[in-house]
Amino acid sequence: MNLTTAYAALKDRACRYLSALFLFGMVSTGYCIPAYASSGGTTTGTLAETLDVFSDVFAWFLKEGGNLLAWMLGKPIILLSLSVFFVGAVVGVLARIYSSF
């Protein structure tokens, strides 16, 4: 057996093993989906109802984000780490811009 056939056999076994893992994951989650989708409490809503839900979730997200930001602004060590990250991002963007000229 030469190296090429050994590689092909190994690749074939790896593909079979990974496809079996993928199939197991798909089957195990597939059993849950019909039970979830057919529960008695779900109804189909209109687009306006869906927009209302998204609006409520986004309003909650903004409120909690404001709470988190207010908390973070009171912590100097967190501000220091965030400033290092943002300064690095700005320097990286400027380096890409100036290196293209």
Side-chain angles (χ1 to χ4, degrees):
M1 176 183 279
N2 61 12
L3 190 59
T4 306
T5 56
Y7 174 73
L10 183 63
K11 184 179 173 185
D12 183 48
R13 287 184 187 144
C15 288
R16 280 193 224 160
Y17 176 71
L18 290 176
S19 63
L21 287 179
F22 176 75
L23 182 63
F24 175 74
M26 290 299 292
V27 168
S28 62
T29 56
Y31 283 130
C32 302
I33 292 171
Y36 176 74
S38 64
S39 65
T42 58
T43 59
T44 58
T46 63
L47 188 58
E49 291 172 351
T50 305
L51 183 60
D52 288 339
V53 170
F54 279 121
S55 299
D56 291 341
V57 169
F58 190 66
W60 173 84
F61 180 76
L62 289 178
K63 182 178 77 97
E64 293 302 320
N67 291 340
L68 178 65
L69 184 63
W71 177 79
M72 288 170 64
L73 289 175
K75 309 285 188 240
I77 192 73
I78 294 176
L79 288 176
L80 179 65
S81 64
L82 287 175
S83 64
V84 167
F85 172 75
F86 284 118
V87 166
V90 168
V91 168
V93 167
L94 291 176
R96 286 178 185 237
I97 289 172
Y98 288 121
S99 68
S100 65
F101 291 117

